Amino acid sequence: MTYQSLIEDALTGHTADYCEVRLEESDSTRLTYRGKSLDDINMTSGKGGAVRACVNGSWGFASFNDLADLPSRVKAATNQARSLASGNNGETTMLAEVEPHVDIVEPVIVKDPREISLNEKTRLADHYNDIVWKQPGIVSSDIIYGDNSRKVAFGNTDGTYIEQEVVHAICRISAQARDGADVQQAGFSIGALGDYGLFEGLDEQVAEAAERAVGLLKAKPLTGGQRTVILDPVLAGVFVHEAFGHLSEADNVYENDKLKELMYMGRKFGGDHLNFTDGAAQPGMRGSYKYDDEGTPSALTPLVRDGVLVGRLHSRETAAKTGEAPTGNARAINYRFPPIVRMTNTFIENGEATFDDLLEGVEDGVYVKNWYGGMTQHEMFTFSSGEAYMIRNGEVQEAVRPVMLSGNLFETLENVDAVANDRGFNQGGGCGKGGQMPLPVGTGSPHIRIRNCLISGA
Amino acid sequence: MAANHEHLLDLATSAHKNAEVFAVSSERRHVEFEANRPKNIGQSQSSGIALRIINGDGRIGFSSTTDEDKIDELVDRTNALSEFGAEAKFQFPTASDYPSVETVDDATYSVTDDQLLSFGRSAIDAILSEFPEALCAADFSVSSGQQRLLNSKGVDVAHSHTSCSFYMGVELIRGTDMLSIWDGIVLTGPVDEPNADRIVNRLLTKLRNSQNILDAPSGKDIPVLFSPVGFNGTFLPPLLSGFNGKNVATGSSPLIDRWGEKMLDERISITDDPLHPMTPASRAMDDEGIPSRPLDFVRNGVVGEPFLDLQTAGEVGQDSTGCGMRSVATTPSPSTSYVTMEGGETPNDAMFDGIKQGILVEQLLGAGQGNELGGDFRANLSLGFLIEDGEIVGRVKDTMISGNVYETLNNVDKISEQPETVWGTRSLPWVLTRGVEVAVSQ
């Protein structure tokens, strides 16, 4: 039986207000180098499914590897939702209208990683590892290359049936240098949709990371406190994801009246040069897709225009409950999880300044590049640079130890006082939320400058 | 699928002399509350199987699947991968006598959805009765799992475990301040009322202590007190990375060549104890069939031994310490179980005594983004308090801490007598330190 008929049969005669079935197949390959040699090479195939049912606003969810007897999974999820709903008096199921679609979406492929032999993948990883180890002072290295394909068949009780496949490739390379108990590391993380090419031609970047790791042993740590910082496009992308993106996910807001009062449409968050957008409809990035995991078509959603809040990210439920339009941001990392509101590709739009304009007049600041990570808890956020350089008298000078930056949504955005016109993209990130990690996301931003940004000591 | 395990092992063994099959299956049920109301209820069934071989050239092949129809393909695929695999620095072990440790409570999976829901409702009611404007989220789950390990040297061991977890988060918004506090526990047996009450009471205490927002002092000479949860989040990740067999084998651990040396305060003793009964990490053997045993990471400030799986043990020329853990989709890697730190000299309720002005660290935001491998820690305090004259006087915000674990844990003022359980897999005391750098946004 085809997935389509399996799903249609399972949903026939359902008794929920709404029900959906997802069946998935996945294949992944991963190479890990640790130190001088290959540590792990691994191929995993997966198959599983999930059913989600809504009754009077309560959700029942079942996930499974055993795909036999789907109709009973539908019944079980529906019954659970119904029993939960019996304790929620007066709730009703509210889901934004989405026109039913029947579609088959082929994966975006630039250079198919699945068609590259293991021989070639290991040859290239060996080659990069050799470059790392050519640098004197390196004590260890990590190289991770991975590709995976995920094919999802999705059907719901509104008549939507979609088969959609995505292929991702990621690569992380880091080099470690040690002096006694002082261990420093430097590296980078990149990703691409359907393109093995991301793993090719990295010689220069790899050599530079190894050199930087050794250089960091001599770099001085900064004292913690507030400084002017200039973020490169990679780190500024992490900044918009952490500092603003998470709070524009409507599941944080739709049942939280106090937060609604703070995050109201039309609120001014900063200068007119602030323009933020999120969307999976931006083609060819790791957060790109045609339909989300509820079958809603993707979009490009303006979040901030001229410093003013103008939009947020939705699932069908959060859209209906806030009276806003669905944006196609309901995503599940795989069949073990229900879709929740997530970012896709998040952007700071170009401003008018140049990088030199940003540097001008900075007497004692820090130029931060590249990323280690970032986290958000409501209005508080932190994010970490992979590189940091002193800025004195408007010039980028010596490297210092990488720093962690921290801020507060309601203050830090107002302190972004300049946005450059040199947007760059980063696709090496994976986002975590509700136990679902790492979800492929992309970011894009020009250089930005933040006044009075709190940085940690190191 | 049980019959398939032997069949797969036979197939793989006939192709190669050395093979190992690892199979898991589990069930889980959970209920979730959002915005003070039950919102989601779910169940999951999962199963999978992994094959690992050492081929004729001594190279490792590994592959896994959750698709029953693809089990027969595993042998060919694993074989093909082994051509590129890492050189095996070990042999699969033979069968051993395993210690006995309790890991199952039959009552756990019998807890009904209705019971989970009623627990959640009463916990949320208790918070709302004192803080009616709070928004609570909660997640209760019960799970039951089995795994089986077979290898060509005659190991055939099964391990079962149950667990019950309860997490609760409370959010309170006042002006543009968004306070978010969480707590939780994982047990082998069912979470009972006293356990749930303890978590609710801890949350209430933190909410009460958060009513004023005060300015934190900044600098490097402020006494910083770590609660067991704060200690866990701040110090254990950078510290344990130094003991991790992977980092030891590659030479990137700062502890290389320093085993047996005194590196931390002499009152500090930290042990990993998989034989501690009825914790979510209790186990008689690891996922490679090596008997479990307690490991001293630090004894009276002296660094003891790393945690190793078979491969990393082979790389450093030692025996596995029984710490090879894995999910079905990954090869084993060194991992800890139940990490405990011994209590010290100060009664728990006297830990605040004598602190003129200091900071209490509870929850961190962004820990682990820095250079953990070198022992560095740094994070924003997502929940921290100002201590004055031995009392908590309010909450601090927009405050970051940073330092290095090997320096800070040599600069310890006081350690509490009684360790407390953290998230079910740690048992840690309160620790008062000096020399942590505190940076504050003005």
Side-chain angles (χ1 to χ4, degrees), chain B residues 371-383:
Chain B
N371 184 12
E372 280 199 339
L373 209 48
D376 288 352
F377 63 85
R378 57 185 174 208
N380 186 328
L381 297 188
S382 74
L383 186 64

PDB file of all heavy atoms in Angstrom, chain B residues 371-383:
ATOM      1  N   ASN B 371      34.773  27.890  26.493  1.00  0.00           N
ATOM      2  CA  ASN B 371      35.829  26.911  26.274  1.00  0.00           C
ATOM      3  C   ASN B 371      35.842  25.899  27.416  1.00  0.00           C
ATOM      4  O   ASN B 371      36.694  25.930  28.284  1.00  0.00           O
ATOM      5  CB  ASN B 371      37.164  27.648  26.161  1.00  0.00           C
ATOM      6  CG  ASN B 371      38.280  26.703  25.828  1.00  0.00           C
ATOM      7  OD1 ASN B 371      38.041  25.549  25.456  1.00  0.00           O
ATOM      8  ND2 ASN B 371      39.493  27.166  25.997  1.00  0.00           N
ATOM      9  N   GLU B 372      34.837  24.995  27.404  1.00  0.00           N
ATOM     10  CA  GLU B 372      34.690  24.035  28.495  1.00  0.00           C
ATOM     11  C   GLU B 372      35.889  23.120  28.625  1.00  0.00           C
ATOM     12  O   GLU B 372      36.266  22.730  29.719  1.00  0.00           O
ATOM     13  CB  GLU B 372      33.467  23.157  28.251  1.00  0.00           C
ATOM     14  CG  GLU B 372      32.195  23.830  28.630  1.00  0.00           C
ATOM     15  CD  GLU B 372      31.066  22.842  28.817  1.00  0.00           C
ATOM     16  OE1 GLU B 372      31.145  21.723  28.287  1.00  0.00           O
ATOM     17  OE2 GLU B 372      30.107  23.212  29.505  1.00  0.00           O
ATOM     18  N   LEU B 373      36.448  22.758  27.488  1.00  0.00           N
ATOM     19  CA  LEU B 373      37.548  21.812  27.483  1.00  0.00           C
ATOM     20  C   LEU B 373      38.699  22.314  28.345  1.00  0.00           C
ATOM     21  O   LEU B 373      39.404  21.540  28.981  1.00  0.00           O
ATOM     22  CB  LEU B 373      38.003  21.634  26.029  1.00  0.00           C
ATOM     23  CG  LEU B 373      38.607  20.322  25.626  1.00  0.00           C
ATOM     24  CD1 LEU B 373      37.788  19.142  26.092  1.00  0.00           C
ATOM     25  CD2 LEU B 373      38.719  20.302  24.110  1.00  0.00           C
ATOM     26  N   GLY B 374      38.887  23.624  28.375  1.00  0.00           N
ATOM     27  CA  GLY B 374      39.947  24.197  29.192  1.00  0.00           C
ATOM     28  C   GLY B 374      39.533  24.435  30.637  1.00  0.00           C
ATOM     29  O   GLY B 374      40.293  24.988  31.409  1.00  0.00           O
ATOM     30  N   GLY B 375      38.289  24.037  30.986  1.00  0.00           N
ATOM     31  CA  GLY B 375      37.821  24.224  32.353  1.00  0.00           C
ATOM     32  C   GLY B 375      37.106  25.548  32.570  1.00  0.00           C
ATOM     33  O   GLY B 375      36.678  25.857  33.677  1.00  0.00           O
ATOM     34  N   ASP B 376      36.961  26.340  31.498  1.00  0.00           N
ATOM     35  CA  ASP B 376      36.307  27.642  31.661  1.00  0.00           C
ATOM     36  C   ASP B 376      34.802  27.484  31.834  1.00  0.00           C
ATOM     37  O   ASP B 376      34.183  26.632  31.218  1.00  0.00           O
ATOM     38  CB  ASP B 376      36.538  28.512  30.418  1.00  0.00           C
ATOM     39  CG  ASP B 376      37.963  29.004  30.317  1.00  0.00           C
ATOM     40  OD1 ASP B 376      38.727  28.796  31.278  1.00  0.00           O
ATOM     41  OD2 ASP B 376      38.320  29.582  29.274  1.00  0.00           O
ATOM     42  N   PHE B 377      34.228  28.326  32.670  1.00  0.00           N
ATOM     43  CA  PHE B 377      32.772  28.419  32.729  1.00  0.00           C
ATOM     44  C   PHE B 377      32.388  29.882  32.628  1.00  0.00           C
ATOM     45  O   PHE B 377      33.140  30.764  33.049  1.00  0.00           O
ATOM     46  CB  PHE B 377      32.219  27.801  34.028  1.00  0.00           C
ATOM     47  CG  PHE B 377      32.658  28.490  35.292  1.00  0.00           C
ATOM     48  CD1 PHE B 377      31.980  29.601  35.786  1.00  0.00           C
ATOM     49  CD2 PHE B 377      33.774  28.027  35.998  1.00  0.00           C
ATOM     50  CE1 PHE B 377      32.391  30.239  36.945  1.00  0.00           C
ATOM     51  CE2 PHE B 377      34.199  28.665  37.159  1.00  0.00           C
ATOM     52  CZ  PHE B 377      33.510  29.772  37.631  1.00  0.00           C
ATOM     53  N   ARG B 378      31.259  30.149  32.026  1.00  0.00           N
ATOM     54  CA  ARG B 378      30.710  31.501  32.019  1.00  0.00           C
ATOM     55  C   ARG B 378      29.254  31.417  31.622  1.00  0.00           C
ATOM     56  O   ARG B 378      28.868  30.585  30.808  1.00  0.00           O
ATOM     57  CB  ARG B 378      31.474  32.421  31.092  1.00  0.00           C
ATOM     58  CG  ARG B 378      31.535  31.929  29.683  1.00  0.00           C
ATOM     59  CD  ARG B 378      32.429  32.877  28.895  1.00  0.00           C
ATOM     60  NE  ARG B 378      32.631  32.351  27.562  1.00  0.00           N
ATOM     61  CZ  ARG B 378      33.714  32.592  26.835  1.00  0.00           C
ATOM     62  NH1 ARG B 378      34.685  33.319  27.309  1.00  0.00           N
ATOM     63  NH2 ARG B 378      33.822  32.110  25.632  1.00  0.00           N
ATOM     64  N   ALA B 379      28.432  32.232  32.236  1.00  0.00           N
ATOM     65  CA  ALA B 379      27.004  32.186  31.963  1.00  0.00           C
ATOM     66  C   ALA B 379      26.332  33.413  32.540  1.00  0.00           C
ATOM     67  O   ALA B 379      26.857  34.081  33.424  1.00  0.00           O
ATOM     68  CB  ALA B 379      26.394  30.933  32.586  1.00  0.00           C
ATOM     69  N   ASN B 380      25.161  33.666  32.009  1.00  0.00           N
ATOM     70  CA  ASN B 380      24.275  34.679  32.543  1.00  0.00           C
ATOM     71  C   ASN B 380      23.475  34.010  33.672  1.00  0.00           C
ATOM     72  O   ASN B 380      23.113  32.846  33.560  1.00  0.00           O
ATOM     73  CB  ASN B 380      23.345  35.111  31.407  1.00  0.00           C
ATOM     74  CG  ASN B 380      22.458  36.277  31.772  1.00  0.00           C
ATOM     75  OD1 ASN B 380      22.062  36.440  32.919  1.00  0.00           O
ATOM     76  ND2 ASN B 380      22.119  37.078  30.778  1.00  0.00           N
ATOM     77  N   LEU B 381      23.209  34.737  34.751  1.00  0.00           N
ATOM     78  CA  LEU B 381      22.386  34.159  35.814  1.00  0.00           C
ATOM     79  C   LEU B 381      20.919  34.303  35.426  1.00  0.00           C
ATOM     80  O   LEU B 381      20.365  35.390  35.472  1.00  0.00           O
ATOM     81  CB  LEU B 381      22.623  34.885  37.133  1.00  0.00           C
ATOM     82  CG  LEU B 381      24.033  34.794  37.701  1.00  0.00           C
ATOM     83  CD1 LEU B 381      24.071  35.398  39.092  1.00  0.00           C
ATOM     84  CD2 LEU B 381      24.478  33.337  37.757  1.00  0.00           C
ATOM     85  N   SER B 382      20.293  33.197  35.026  1.00  0.00           N
ATOM     86  CA  SER B 382      18.868  33.318  34.727  1.00  0.00           C
ATOM     87  C   SER B 382      18.094  33.314  36.033  1.00  0.00           C
ATOM     88  O   SER B 382      16.992  33.823  36.100  1.00  0.00           O
ATOM     89  CB  SER B 382      18.408  32.221  33.778  1.00  0.00           C
ATOM     90  OG  SER B 382      18.321  30.997  34.428  1.00  0.00           O
ATOM     91  N   LEU B 383      18.680  32.748  37.073  1.00  0.00           N
ATOM     92  CA  LEU B 383      18.107  32.911  38.407  1.00  0.00           C
ATOM     93  C   LEU B 383      19.256  32.981  39.414  1.00  0.00           C
ATOM     94  O   LEU B 383      19.969  32.015  39.646  1.00  0.00           O
ATOM     95  CB  LEU B 383      17.165  31.747  38.765  1.00  0.00           C
ATOM     96  CG  LEU B 383      16.414  31.938  40.085  1.00  0.00           C
ATOM     97  CD1 LEU B 383      15.473  33.145  40.013  1.00  0.00           C
ATOM     98  CD2 LEU B 383      15.624  30.694  40.455  1.00  0.00           C
TER      99      LEU B 383
END
